[in-house]
Every structure is written in structure tokens, then in C-alpha cells.
Amino acid sequence: MGEYSSWAEVKRRMRENAPDVSDAEWERRKRTARTATEAHVLGHHLREIREEQNLTQADVARAVGISQARVSQVERGEIHNLETMRSYAAALGARLTVSIEYGDRVGGAA
């Protein structure tokens, strides 16, 4: 069986291997990774909803007014703008909501 490391240990080793990277850069990298993960999860959920409705990517593309290839990209997490996401959700009979989290406050908008 292999040896496992704690997350704190992994982060410590990453910092040791890149001592010239600033704290601000590490934070930027974390934000970028978090955003990419959230986009991937959102695309996955949209694909699940589409499949539950027995719709093809081409069906959604026609309803949204984008190409089937773009639908595929969105479902893989390649999300570039909020309006495309709103249109995609609406084509599935869903609604996209947006929230801003700051400290312990959460503000939402439709």
C-alpha cells in the first residue's frame, strides 16, 4: 500500500518546490482552480438535466441559438459568459441564479 500525505503536507511541498511564487500568486492559482471546478460541476449538472429530458445537444443548441459544439463545450465546463448559461438553463426549463458571497454575507440575483 502506498504512503499518503495530508493536504497540508502536499501544499507545504508545493511551496518548497516553488519558493519564488508569491502568496498573491498562490491565491490567484487557487481562485483559478476553484472557478474551473465550479464551471465543470455546472456543466455536468446541465448535461444531466438535458439527458433526463431526453434532449440531444443539437436540440439544446437549436433552442439556445448556439452550435452543438458550443453545447458540448459548456457541458465540459468551458463556460465563458453568463448569458449563454442563462439561455441554456432556460432551454431546459431551468433558471440560473447568481450569488455573491463575501464573508458571512450572501447576496443573490436571478
Side-chain angles (χ1 to χ4, degrees):
M1 191 180 268
E3 183 180 317
Y4 296 97
S5 299
S6 69
W7 185 237
E9 177 65 18
V10 169
K11 290 190 292 186
R12 184 189 63 74
R13 277 191 249 141
M14 286 177 61
R15 291 264 181 149
E16 285 177 357
N17 291 332
D20 55 327
V21 177
S22 69
D23 288 345
E25 175 61 14
W26 283 115
E27 285 303 314
R28 187 197 65 74
R29 290 178 184 186
K30 283 187 345 187
R31 283 191 312 274
T32 299
R34 183 175 294 119
T35 298
T37 299
E38 290 170 351
H40 179 78
V41 170
L42 177 58
H44 173 78
H45 287 303
L46 288 170
R47 187 188 83 233
E48 283 183 332
I49 294 168
R50 175 183 58 77
E51 289 174 346
E52 286 173 11
Q53 295 183 15
N54 294 316
L55 296 171
T56 66
Q57 289 181 342
D59 295 332
V60 173
R62 277 190 297 279
V64 177
I66 59 177
S67 69
Q68 177 276 324
R70 183 67 187 120
V71 170
S72 178
Q73 290 171 337
V74 168
E75 290 182 356
R76 289 193 315 268
E78 298 173 26
I79 298 167
H80 303 292
N81 73 58
L82 196 55
E83 287 312 310
T84 297
M85 299 312 303
R86 283 193 172 138
S87 297
Y88 189 119
L92 299 176
R95 184 172 65 103
L96 180 71
T97 59
V98 177
S99 66
I100 296 174
E101 300 176 15
Y102 180 75
D104 61 352
R105 297 183 302 186
V106 177

